[in-house]
Amino acid sequence: TKRGTLIDYLDELVEKMARFIPHKNLVAVEERAKLNFGRNLRPLVCVNDIDFSENGSIENFRKLQSEHWLTNGYTLFISVTYWIVAEEWDKEEGKLPKGAEVTVYGEKSGESINKNSFWGIVTEEIDGGARYKVEDAEGRVATYERKDLRHRTTHTFCFGTVSDDKTHDRFAMQHYTKTELEYLENYMRQHFPKDLIDGKIAKLFRHSDNAGQHFKNTGAIHYFTTLILERGGPTKTGYVYTFGAPGHGKGPFDGYGGSFKNKIHSLIRSCSEAGGIPGTRTGYINEARDVFDALVHYYEKGIGRQAKTGAKTDNFKFFLSEIGTETAVPRADEEFVTLNNITKQYQFAVNNEGLLFVRRRSCWCLACMAALLEGTLRWPDEKQIAGCETVALGGQGLMYRFYKEPARKVRGAGASRTITLDRRTRFDKAKSLAVGDWVIFDGNGDVDNPRWLGRVMSYADWGGQGVELNESNRSKYYQNGHLEIGSNEVAINLMWYEKIDVESPELTYRVSQDYPQAVLQSNTYMVSGGAEVNDGI
C-alpha cells in the first residue's frame, strides 16, 4: 500500500494508465480478431492451439512414518487441432439443422475466397430444405437457397503428451509438435483425405500464449518456419503463428488440461490400494506412464468418458515421453539472433525457413484471411493487406503492416543454410540498386521509427553510381574509418528521410533534419529496395 497526497495519487495513476490503455487496446483487438477468425476460417486449414498445462502431481497414499504423502509429478502438454470438413462444406444440398453455422455465398474448398461471402446462423428451414433463413453477424435475417450455403462443420482432435520431464521449454514443445503432426497427417490421409493438400497439412494456423520460455522466442519461431519444408515448401504452404495478449492466453487447452488432471486425481483418491485402477500396468498411479495409461483408457478409448465431454471433441490421442528412452526430448546446442522486436509482434506469417512476415496486431478479417491463405511467397518486404477491415475502421496502419524479418539460426543443424539465404537476398538486392531508387532499412531498435526510408544518391568516387560492391577479400573503410564494409558487402550512398509525424497513420516524409546530406551506409540493415519500394512511393 502506498500513501501520499492527491497529487501523488494522480501521478501514480497517469503512470499506470500509460501502460494499461495500450494493453486494453491490444486485448480488444485480439478479441475482435478471434471472433473474425472463427467466422472467416476456410477448409484445408488446420487450426492448432497449444499450451503446457500446469504440472500435475501424483499423490501417493502409502504413507511414511512421518505421515506425509509421497508426491511425484508429470508434465501435460495439450494441443487442440480442428478443421472445417471440406466434404460437408462443398455440399449444395442436404438438411441444415437450426443453429448451424454457414458461410453465405462461400466458394468451394480450395478456391480463392469470395470477398462477398459472409458468416451466418441458420434460423429456419423453408420448402423442405430447399431454402433457409439465415441471421448474419449484424442480426439481419434473410432467405437463401441451400446451394448458396456452405456448412461450417468442424472435426476436433485433442492431443495430450504425458512426460516425466517437467521442463517446459521450446525443445519439449518442438518434440511434441513433431510427433503430433506426423500422427495427425497419417490419420487424416486415412479418414479425411479431402482436407489435406497433396496428403500434407499445407495450411496451419497456430495460436498460443506469450510465454517466452517455450513459445514466443526466436528458436521456437524458427522451428515453426521449418515445418513447411516437408509439406510443399513456401510455394504450397501457408503457416501463421498468432500470439494472445499477455495475461489473456486462455484457450480450450486449459479446460482439457484441468479435466485430465482432475480425472487422475479422482482415480488416485478413489482407490488407495493397488489393483483398482483399470487400464494401468500396475493397477495404480505411481508414475507418468501410469498417468498416460489411465488417460488412454478413459479418454482415447472412450471407456468411462462422459457423453457431454465426447460431444465437444471427436478424437483424443495421447503420447508418452520418458527420460532416458527414445521418446525423450532432445535438446540440441543451438544459438539464434533475437528476432527484431519479437516481444511487440503478435502475428507471424512464414515466408521461408528462417524468414517471416511479422506485425504488431493480428487481424482475421476476410481480406487478411484471404491473403494469409494464399501465402507470403510473392509479398514485398513490407506488406499492407489491401482491404483490411481493421485499418478501414481506423486501426493504425503501421500496427497492421507486415514487415519481413529473419529468425537467424547461427549455431546448430541447418544454421549455415539460413545465414546463406538471408545474406544472398540482401546482397543481391543492394548491389542492383540504381541512383534514385528508394530503400527501406531496419530501424535497429528505434521504437518511433522501426523502418527508415532512404534514397540512393550519386557518389562521385564511384563514377556517379550510388552503390559499390566490395569485391576484395578485405574490409573497406569509409567516413574516416567509422564505416566498415566487409568482403562482398555493399556500400550505399543514401539521403535519409524521416516521417513528419510519427504518431500519425499518414505516411508523409521529409529529408531528415539530423542528416540533411547524403551519407554512406552498409547494406547490413537493408530490408527492401528498388522496384518493390519505388512502386509504393
Side-chain angles (χ1 to χ4, degrees):
T1 302
K2 291 186 177 182
R3 297 183 180 275
T5 65
L6 176 61
I7 300 301
D8 294 331
Y9 168 76
L10 292 175
D11 288 343
E12 183 78 9
L13 179 63
V14 168
E15 181 181 346
K16 298 295 185 183
M17 291 298 288
R19 295 192 296 268
F20 177 74
I21 292 176
H23 173 73
K24 290 298 292 183
N25 170 260
L26 174 60
V27 172
V29 166
E30 295 301 324
E31 286 297 320
R32 183 173 64 248
K34 183 178 180 180
L35 181 63
N36 283 335
F37 180 84
R39 293 174 173 177
N40 295 329
L41 181 67
R42 290 312 201 252
L44 306 183
V45 181
C46 283
V47 182
N48 177 236
D49 272 286
I50 61 171
D51 198 13
F52 282 95
S53 183
E54 186 177 343
N55 283 346
S57 60
I58 301 173
E59 298 169 337
N60 195 320
F61 284 77
R62 288 170 290 184
K63 301 176 182 179
L64 299 174
Q65 289 182 350
S66 62
E67 294 298 308
H68 289 135
W69 290 353
L70 293 171
T71 59
N72 196 3
Y74 61 93
T75 283
L76 188 56
F77 180 77
I78 305 297
S79 174
V80 181
T81 301
Y82 68 92
W83 62 91
I84 293 177
V85 180
E87 187 172 1
E88 294 296 321
W89 171 278
D90 288 336
K91 288 181 179 178
E92 295 187 352
E93 56 185 21
K95 295 287 187 178
L96 294 174
K98 183 178 180 180
E101 292 190 34
V102 295
T103 296
V104 182
Y105 301 132
E107 71 292 337
K108 292 297 181 70
S109 60
E111 297 178 354
S112 296
I113 287 182
N114 177 12
K115 299 295 180 63
N116 294 319
S117 63
F118 57 91
W119 172 90
I121 294 179
V122 171
T123 60
E124 183 180 345
E125 177 186 308
I126 302 175
D127 298 335
R131 296 184 299 155
Y132 288 87
K133 284 188 177 181
V134 176
E135 181 179 346
D136 67 14
E138 303 299 325
R140 296 173 299 223
V141 178
T143 302
Y144 303 94
E145 294 185 19
R146 173 63 180 90
K147 67 181 181 63
D148 294 325
L149 304 178
R150 308 275 73 78
H151 192 190
R152 303 179 64 83
T153 301
T154 60
H155 190 92
T156 303
F157 227 117
C158 176
F159 294 99
T161 299
V162 180
S163 179
D164 55 355
D165 184 341
K166 293 182 285 295
T167 301
H168 297 184
D169 58 12
R170 68 175 180 85
F171 296 107
M173 178 275 295
Q174 293 168 191
H175 182 59
Y176 304 153
T177 293
K178 182 177 184 297
T179 302
E180 292 168 4
L181 282 180
E182 289 176 352
Y183 177 89
L184 182 59
E185 280 182 329
N186 287 329
Y187 175 86
M188 293 179 71
R189 289 188 195 108
Q190 297 178 41
H191 302 283
F192 294 89
K194 294 182 180 179
D195 296 316
L196 296 172
I197 299 176
D198 296 332
K200 299 287 187 179
I201 298 176
K203 310 288 183 182
L204 179 67
F205 293 167
R206 167 169 278 189
H207 173 272
S208 74
D209 61 25
N210 260 306
Q213 179 182 0
H214 39 264
F215 296 146
K216 200 173 187 182
N217 60 71
T218 304
I221 293 174
H222 178 275
Y223 170 76
F224 186 69
T225 69
T226 66
L227 295 178
I228 70 171
L229 299 180
E230 296 180 355
R231 295 172 173 87
T235 61
K236 294 185 177 182
T237 54
Y239 274 49
V240 181
Y241 201 141
T242 303
F243 291 92
H248 296 265
K250 297 296 182 183
F253 34 74
D254 296 287
Y256 286 108
S259 175
F260 297 155
K261 288 186 293 185
N262 286 338
K263 184 63 178 180
I264 296 301
H265 187 68
S266 67
L267 288 173
I268 295 175
R269 293 190 66 88
S270 64
C271 183
S272 60
E273 295 183 1
I277 299 180
T280 61
R281 294 184 306 167
T282 62
Y284 194 71
I285 294 180
N286 296 304
E287 56 187 6
R289 174 173 284 277
D290 296 323
V291 173
F292 166 76
D293 289 339
L295 292 177
V296 169
H297 182 79
Y298 281 92
Y299 288 93
E300 186 175 325
K301 294 181 179 179
I303 301 173
R305 182 172 34 153
Q306 296 179 358
K308 63 178 182 180
T309 304
K312 297 178 182 178
T313 308
D314 298 287
N315 298 91
F316 288 92
K317 178 63 182 177
F318 294 92
F319 301 97
L320 178 64
S321 174
E322 293 181 295
I323 297 173
T325 70
E326 61 181 11
T327 63
V329 174
R331 291 183 168 87
D333 181 18
E334 298 175 330
E335 183 180 353
F336 301 84
V337 176
T338 302
L339 198 151
N340 189 36
N341 286 323
I342 185 173
T343 60
K344 298 178 180 178
Q345 314 294 348
Y346 284 87
Q347 197 160 43
F348 299 73
V350 176
N351 176 255
N352 206 331
E353 180 186 4
L355 292 173
L356 307 102
F357 281 89
V358 304
R359 62 178 175 182
R360 297 195 174 198
R361 295 291 183 270
S362 60
C363 178
W364 289 106
C365 69
L366 206 58
C368 288
M369 178 67 75
L372 290 168
L373 280 175
E374 291 176 0
T376 65
L377 185 63
R378 294 177 177 81
W379 285 12
D381 285 358
E382 290 193 19
K383 174 70 173 180
Q384 180 72 65
I385 295 177
C388 176
E389 294 177 9
T390 306
V391 174
L393 290 172
Q396 295 185 26
L398 289 176
M399 291 292 187
Y400 295 92
R401 180 173 298 168
F402 281 100
Y403 297 97
K404 194 173 187 178
E405 296 287 358
R408 295 192 188 97
K409 187 177 188 179
V410 295
R411 188 174 72 247
S416 60
R417 183 169 62 250
T418 303
I419 295 171
T420 300
L421 175 64
D422 179 55
R423 285 178 175 173
R424 184 174 65 247
T425 301
R426 288 186 288 116
F427 294 159
D428 288 347
K429 289 179 180 178
K431 69 183 182 182
S432 62
L433 292 173
V435 173
D437 277 347
W438 293 93
V439 295
I440 295 175
F441 272 64
D442 179 11
N444 193 25
D446 189 331
V447 177
D448 292 330
N449 293 286
R451 291 294 184 270
W452 294 353
L453 178 66
R455 197 170 195 185
V456 180
M457 308 299 289
S458 174
Y459 192 64
D461 291 351
W462 299 339
Q465 300 300 310
V467 298
E468 183 179 65
L469 172 66
N470 179 11
E471 299 179 295
S472 69
N473 295 325
R474 298 181 179 180
S475 295
K476 289 186 177 181
Y477 294 88
Y478 300 88
Q479 299 175 347
N480 296 321
H482 294 293
L483 175 64
E484 179 183 2
I485 304 298
S487 176
N488 292 319
E489 289 188 345
V490 180
I492 312 172
N493 191 37
L494 290 174
M495 176 71 77
W496 289 115
Y497 287 72
E498 63 185 11
K499 194 176 179 186
I500 295 176
D501 183 359
V502 295
E503 301 295 333
S504 172
E506 295 185 9
L507 302 178
T508 53
Y509 292 80
R510 66 187 176 194
V511 172
S512 172
Q513 304 299 295
D514 296 325
Y515 301 98
Q517 306 295 327
V519 295
L520 298 183
Q521 177 71 45
S522 167
N523 73 304
T524 300
Y525 292 103
M526 190 185 103
V527 294
S528 61
E532 59 187 2
V533 180
N534 298 338
D535 293 343
I537 296 295

